[in-house]
Amino acid sequence: MSEEKQLEGKVTVVTGGGRGIGAAIALACAKEGARLALVARTTEQLDEVAKLVDEAGADVTVLTTDVTDRLQTEAMAQAVRDYFGRIDILFNNAGGGMEKNLVAESDPDLWVQDVTLNLTSAYLVTHALLPLMIESGGGKIINTGSGMGHSSGAKSSAYHVGKAGMWMFTRCLADEVWEHGITVNELIPGPVATHLTEDR
């Protein structure tokens, strides 16, 4: 008799699912029986991860989306509804750090893009998918945070600020949705060897 998989049939959406932590999350969920929607901007990367998920025996769909764009995010949420009809788990994992300079030497456009990617994207994705999760009878939202969001430091202020906002967004959202059977938690993986940390 085969061992029961912990996420058997659970519809799971992973943003930033084309590489790094997001890809690892997706594959781990697939091995536990989840059905996956992989979300990121780069189709080629998503397709590579989707192949691994498929080889693990999981149902998977690829949704190329810029999660900092409201209209694209809303279209992604509709695609999840159309394909799966429900959602059980949301990993708000998309993020990154482009502006690493001191504030006085930073590029304002890059700084705003950083905060948008690390914070606003999680809001947009959650806002778009939350109605479906409520209709589905509850679920779990997991936001990928960072220790840098809980401490200050010189340089990379945009990343610090974006992840600090993610931490507070997690707490506020948890206070709002518990009555719908939805839990909201922040995942702080610690230092991870990915493309984002190659120069650190």
Side-chain angles (χ1 to χ4, degrees):
M1 184 176 180
S2 60
E3 184 178 346
E4 183 179 354
K5 296 181 178 180
Q6 295 185 46
L7 301 178
E8 192 68 57
K10 299 291 185 182
V11 175
T12 304
V13 176
V14 182
T15 70
R19 58 186 180 183
I21 294 172
I25 289 171
L27 189 55
C29 289
K31 290 177 179 178
E32 287 298 329
R35 304 171 69 199
L36 272 297
L38 304 178
V39 180
R41 288 178 292 187
T42 307
T43 304
E44 293 77 11
Q45 293 176 347
L46 289 173
D47 286 341
E48 290 177 7
V49 178
K51 182 180 178 181
L52 297 175
V53 169
D54 182 66
E55 290 172 354
D59 183 15
V60 60
T61 186
V62 165
L63 301 173
T64 304
T65 307
D66 179 352
V67 292
T68 68
D69 182 283
R70 178 180 175 181
L71 293 180
Q72 289 190 42
T73 302
E74 290 174 349
M76 176 274 294
Q78 184 61 50
V80 171
R81 180 184 288 273
D82 292 343
Y83 189 90
F84 294 109
R86 64 179 295 111
I87 177 175
D88 301 289
I89 303 168
L90 167 61
F91 277 95
N92 280 313
N93 173 72
M98 298 167 284
E99 180 47 86
K100 300 176 182 179
N101 293 308
L102 297 167
V103 170
E105 301 169 0
S106 63
D107 179 324
D109 290 332
L110 279 181
W111 201 96
V112 171
Q113 286 178 38
D114 254 14
V115 174
T116 301
L117 178 58
N118 288 296
L119 171 60
T120 309
S121 68
Y123 161 76
L124 291 174
V125 170
T126 302
H127 184 268
L129 286 169
L130 194 56
L132 181 58
M133 185 172 282
I134 292 172
E135 290 174 27
S136 301
K140 299 182 183 301
I141 298 174
I142 303 169
N143 298 326
T144 301
S146 169
M148 291 175 68
H150 295 259
S151 64
S152 62
K155 298 186 176 181
S156 297
S157 62
Y159 188 80
H160 281 276
V161 170
K163 289 302 186 180
M166 175 72 99
W167 168 62
M168 185 52 66
F169 175 63
T170 300
R171 292 170 65 91
C172 291
L173 184 62
D175 286 340
E176 293 181 2
V177 299
W178 64 269
E179 61 185 357
H180 297 292
I182 299 172
T183 61
V184 189
N185 290 281
E186 181 188 31
L187 171 67
I188 302 179
V192 179
T194 70
H195 68 287
L196 293 176
T197 59
E198 289 175 347
D199 59 349
R200 294 184 179 179

